């Protein structure tokens, strides 16, 4: 029986990642993960990035993977460093983004009190990741190693197959940690056997039949495409269905499915209508897929259809839609026409408001999104920003992204940084001041991308809570909900050596935006201070204005 060299399995792991086409590795500093750092940084196949803050590192890796469309590795040392990845892992899980999480671990020690920097790392992402495997510390023989590596190979493969998502490989490492890792002895590893475990089952036949019958019998169908990574073929299928059947496609900006036949601003449409008018656009069947939808009014609209069937497919129903698209028919889509007429009119009303409205978060975002050069990638922070953006027309020449898998504010900036790091195009993130401050360690990056523009809507606290009905009536509202902060954003930018620009009125905003997007401006933090504006009351006035203008026209 041939005994393997000490830590040979670490080099073997790197070779499996290489064979899987994975080349980007985000590395957090540490001692227990030193063998992993060594094997990645000495191989020119891997592009390695050093990120100190593990929470930020997880989101940076997520942003890279979302931008590239393929898995990215993130590596941490043992202990609480691994737990700091949990928010990004959860976001990747619900957005179906492929991450490969490698966590170094300490083997059990005796007495247990000697277990410094050690927690239970087995399956710590249990409900928010696809698969977990605890790599054996050392394998005594070639067959034992090969069995372990087959499992590792399958784990890595599963990150980008079926319903894509994060996978977790925990790696206990014995000391010494700073000796050279053995060189690769096997140039190729046998491909792991294909597994059926990752295949996404087709929708139940009864659901497919219900949908098929509704299409073919001229029923009014509301298709809601949530946030997702759609192919051009899937988009064209939706275009075909909306042309052949009585079907409306709702596709918000973060679905990246913008088309003139689709409804891109459902929040605007439903926000303008009286309740009895909404009945005129009710569907006979609702079909959902793709994950999160931002519009609260859309969610309430669907939830209020108590007598109408709602079919929620896990994945885009490609086979079913392809079958329906092949049916030879020509029909006027009267149902879509009703929705589109309302959207066209409410967008005109909104345009009037944006042009004449006071300086505030809502009108500032309208100016910002309208000035971004075509071909850019726009990242939208959570809370107020993503909601304001749903009231703006979707531009087909921009790509939109947001961390709406879990909708947290904790990694919006880091994810945008990661995306820009692996892209040559212009990236713009618009987020609130709390989101920026909370994730400001995203700026702690020696390879900070010069193609990222950071625009902060600074209303001095959690402005989203001022938009909601109810929180402001609570006695704890200002201190515990809005949570105003004393942070000077200019000082944060200066601390990390990033240029800072500032505007606190409409005129300065409009004159600064062109310089912000000039080719040689580099990385910039642009603070758009709206703290003196009545953001919440203007937001509420907006919907009243749209409602009144719409009914004045009709």
């Amino acid at each position: 029986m041939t005994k393997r060299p000490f830590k040979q399995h670490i080099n073997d792991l790197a070779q499996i990642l290489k064979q899987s086409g994975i080349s980007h590795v985000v590395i957090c500093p540490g001692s227990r993960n030193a063998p992993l750092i060594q094997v990645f940084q000495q191989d020119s196949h891997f592009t390695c990035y050093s990120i100190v803050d593990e929470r930020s590192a997880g989101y940076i890796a997520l942003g890279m993977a979302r931008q590239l469309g393929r898995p990215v590795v993130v590596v941490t040392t043992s202990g609480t460093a691994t737990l700091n990845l949990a928010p990004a892992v959860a976001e990747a899980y619900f957005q179906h983004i492929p991450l490969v999480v490698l966590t170094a671990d300490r083997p059990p020690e005796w007495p247990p009190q000697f277990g410094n920097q050690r927690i239970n790392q087995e399956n710590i992402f249990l409900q928010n990741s696809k698969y977990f495997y605890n790599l054996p510390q050392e394998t005594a023989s070639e067959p034992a190693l090969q069995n372990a590596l087959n499992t590792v190979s399958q784990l890595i493969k599963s990150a980008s197959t079926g319903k894509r998502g994060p996978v977790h490989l925990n790696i206990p490492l014995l000391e010494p940690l700073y000796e050279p890792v053995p060189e690769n002895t096997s140039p190729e590893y046998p491909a792991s056997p294909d597994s059926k475990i990752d295949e996404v089952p087709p929708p139940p036949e009864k659901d497919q039949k219900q949908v098929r019958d509704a299409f073919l019998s001229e029923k009014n169908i509301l298709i809601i495409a949530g946030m997702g990574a759609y192919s051009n073929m899937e988009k064209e299928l939706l275009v075909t269905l909306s042309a052949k059947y009585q079907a409306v496609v709702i596709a918000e900006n973060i679905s990246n499915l913008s088309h003139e036949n689709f409804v891109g601003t459902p929040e605007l449409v439903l926000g303008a209508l009286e309740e009895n008018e909404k009945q005129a656009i009710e569907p006979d069947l609702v079909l959902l897929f793709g994950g999160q939808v931002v519009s609260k009014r859309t969610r309430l609209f669907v939830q209020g259809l108590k007598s109408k069937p709602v079919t929620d497919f896990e994945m885009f129903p490609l086979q079913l839609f392809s079958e329906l698209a092949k049916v030879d028919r020509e029909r006027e889509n009267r149902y879509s026409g009703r929705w589109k007429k309302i959207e066209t009119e409410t967008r005109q009303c909104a345009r009037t408001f944006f042009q004449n409205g006071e300086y505030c978060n809502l009108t500032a975002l309208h100016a910002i999104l309208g000035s971004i050069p075509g071909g850019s990638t726009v990242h939208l922070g959570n809370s107020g920003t993503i909601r304001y953006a749903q009231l703006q027309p979707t531009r087909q020449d921009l790509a939109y992204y947001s961390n709406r898998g879990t909708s947290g504010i904790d990694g919006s900036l880091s994810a945008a940084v990661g995306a820009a790091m692996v892209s040559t195009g212009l990236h713009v993130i618009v987020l609130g001041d709390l989101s920026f401050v909370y994730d400001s360690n995203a700026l702690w990056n020696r390879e900070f991308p010069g193609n990222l523009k950071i625009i902060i809507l600074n209303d001095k606290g959690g402005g989203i809570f001022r938009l909601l009905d109810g929180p402001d009536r609570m006695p704890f509202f200002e201190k515990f909900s809005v949570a105003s902060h004393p942070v000077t954003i200019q000082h944060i930018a200066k601390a990390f050596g990033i240029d800072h620009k500032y505007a606190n009125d409409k005129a300065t905003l409009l004159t600064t935006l062109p310089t912000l997007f000039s080719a040689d401006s580099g990385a910039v933090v642009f603070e758009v201070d709206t703290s003196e504006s009545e953001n919440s009351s203007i937001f509420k006035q907006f919907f009243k204005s749209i409602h009144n203008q719409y009914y004045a026209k009709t």
Side-chain angles (χ1 to χ4, degrees):
M1 181 179 294
T2 304
K3 186 175 181 181
R4 301 283 294 184
F6 189 55
K7 290 191 176 64
Q8 178 65 53
H9 62 308
I10 302 304
N11 193 298
D12 295 328
L13 167 62
Q15 298 307 312
I16 292 173
L17 290 165
K18 183 189 293 189
Q19 286 180 211
S20 300
I22 299 172
S23 58
H24 293 273
V25 183
V26 176
I27 298 174
C28 302
S31 182
R32 188 59 51 170
N33 59 342
L36 292 164
I37 298 174
Q38 179 188 157
V39 78
F40 287 125
Q41 65 85 33
Q42 71 186 11
D43 190 331
S44 61
H45 170 81
F46 296 105
T47 303
C48 299
Y49 308 88
S50 175
I51 303 295
V52 175
D53 185 314
E54 287 90 0
R55 188 182 70 192
S56 178
Y59 279 108
I60 285 174
L62 178 149
M64 289 179 174
R66 185 167 60 193
Q67 182 70 29
L68 295 169
R70 60 178 185 269
V72 169
V73 173
V74 58
V75 181
T76 73
T77 190
S78 63
T80 56
T82 64
L83 288 174
N84 284 321
L85 295 178
V89 171
E91 181 67 30
Y93 181 71
F94 286 101
Q95 273 205 59
H96 306 302
I97 295 173
L99 283 186
V100 177
V101 177
L102 306 182
T103 57
D105 200 359
R106 289 172 175 261
E109 294 191 54
W110 183 260
Q113 288 88 340
F114 292 172
N116 182 42
Q117 199 173 332
R118 174 176 171 78
I119 63 172
N120 183 1
Q121 295 180 200
E122 293 201 19
N123 234 335
I124 56 174
F125 311 121
L126 177 63
Q127 298 298 325
N128 296 296
S129 62
K130 290 187 67 174
Y131 299 116
F132 166 79
Y133 181 56
N134 199 63
L135 195 65
Q137 293 178 34
E138 295 291 339
T139 51
S141 66
E142 187 69 34
L145 176 71
Q146 191 58 55
N147 286 337
L149 295 180
N150 280 342
T151 302
V152 169
S153 180
Q154 192 63 45
L155 179 91
I156 293 168
K157 179 181 177 181
S158 71
S160 52
T161 56
K163 288 177 67 175
R164 304 190 311 169
V167 295
H168 176 204
L169 180 62
N170 192 55
I171 308 168
L173 288 163
L174 297 167
E175 296 186 18
L177 301 172
Y178 293 96
E179 291 188 352
V181 173
E183 294 184 2
N184 179 38
T185 57
S186 303
E188 286 289 327
Y189 291 89
S192 60
D194 287 337
S195 171
K196 302 292 185 183
I197 192 172
D198 238 24
E199 291 184 359
V200 179
E205 183 52 43
K206 65 179 181 63
D207 290 344
Q208 294 194 58
K209 184 179 186 305
Q210 182 181 51
V211 172
R212 188 183 298 110
D213 291 347
F215 271 97
L216 296 175
S217 61
E218 294 288 303
K219 294 287 182 65
N220 293 336
I221 300 169
L222 183 61
I223 301 173
I224 302 179
M227 173 188 62
Y230 301 100
S231 66
N232 287 333
M233 179 177 65
E234 290 168 335
K235 179 177 179 178
E236 288 306 313
L237 281 174
L238 291 172
V239 172
T240 300
L241 294 181
S242 66
K244 288 187 173 187
Y245 298 95
Q246 301 302 310
V248 173
V249 177
I250 287 181
E252 295 176 323
N253 50 24
I254 57 173
S255 72
N256 289 302
L257 284 172
S258 177
H259 190 273
E260 60 185 8
N261 293 351
F262 301 165
V263 173
T265 51
E267 186 76 356
L268 199 57
V269 171
L270 296 170
L273 298 181
E274 299 278 5
E275 287 303 316
N276 63 324
E277 294 284 337
K278 292 178 185 177
Q279 294 175 10
I281 59 172
E282 285 187 0
D284 298 308
L285 179 142
V286 179
L287 178 56
L288 301 154
F289 53 81
Q292 277 277 12
V293 174
V294 179
S295 168
K296 183 176 182 178
R297 286 179 169 86
T298 300
R299 297 198 299 271
L300 293 175
F301 179 70
V302 172
Q303 290 166 357
L305 302 172
K306 300 190 183 301
S307 62
K308 307 296 176 64
V310 177
T311 301
D312 187 2
F313 288 151
E314 277 195 87
M315 304 286 281
F316 187 94
L318 181 61
Q319 184 174 344
L320 176 60
F321 280 2
S322 298
E323 173 192 326
L324 290 165
K326 291 175 183 176
V327 176
D328 185 16
R329 60 191 288 144
E330 289 186 16
R331 298 284 192 279
E332 178 190 0
N333 191 343
R334 299 178 304 279
Y335 184 50
S336 180
R338 292 202 294 272
W339 276 83
K340 287 299 296 180
K341 182 176 183 295
I342 300 169
E343 183 176 52
T344 299
E345 292 175 355
T346 52
R347 280 187 175 182
Q348 290 173 349
C349 298
R351 189 179 305 114
T352 300
F353 185 94
F354 292 140
Q355 291 171 348
N356 303 322
E358 299 177 46
Y359 173 75
C360 62
N361 281 335
L362 187 58
T363 56
L365 184 61
H366 177 73
I368 291 165
L369 293 178
S371 66
I372 297 173
S376 303
T377 300
V378 178
H379 304 266
L380 297 168
N382 278 311
S383 296
T385 305
I386 188 72
R387 289 167 174 80
Y388 298 136
Q390 302 316 310
L391 305 173
Q392 321 283 343
T394 303
R395 288 178 50 184
Q396 294 191 37
D397 61 343
L398 300 177
Y400 297 83
Y401 295 103
S402 184
N403 287 356
R404 294 301 292 180
T406 61
S407 303
I409 69 167
D410 39 6
S412 297
L413 180 55
S414 291
V417 169
M421 288 173 71
V422 293
S423 171
T424 57
L426 177 65
H427 286 249
V428 180
I429 179 168
V430 188
L431 74 171
D433 50 304
L434 281 189
S435 297
F436 173 78
V437 173
Y438 196 77
D439 194 24
S440 57
N441 267 357
L443 307 181
W444 187 2
N445 183 338
R446 68 190 68 178
E447 299 178 62
F448 195 85
N451 59 334
L452 177 65
K453 315 299 178 183
I454 303 168
I455 303 178
I456 302 162
L457 299 177
N458 185 3
D459 54 12
K460 301 291 173 66
I464 179 62
F465 297 105
R466 299 189 189 280
L467 306 183
L468 305 177
D469 183 34
D472 59 345
R473 296 195 294 271
M474 297 293 103
F476 57 76
F477 176 64
E478 287 292 339
K479 183 175 181 180
F480 293 102
S481 294
V482 175
S484 299
H485 59 82
V487 177
T488 302
I489 288 174
Q490 181 181 9
H491 292 171
I492 293 180
K494 184 177 180 181
F496 291 102
I498 297 177
D499 187 27
H500 174 267
K501 296 182 183 297
Y502 179 83
N504 63 352
D505 58 53
K506 186 175 182 180
T508 308
L509 170 67
L510 295 179
T511 56
T512 305
L513 284 170
T515 65
L516 183 74
F517 300 127
S518 63
D520 58 350
S521 61
V524 179
V525 169
F526 182 23
E527 179 183 355
V528 180
D529 187 345
T530 65
S531 59
E532 298 300 316
S533 302
E534 295 293 331
N535 286 295
S536 59
S537 62
I538 296 173
F539 183 77
K540 293 168 185 176
Q541 289 170 17
F542 171 79
F543 280 102
K544 290 180 181 178
S545 172
I546 303 306
H547 175 274
N548 293 338
Q549 288 184 67
Y550 174 75
Y551 281 101
K553 288 183 177 183
T554 57

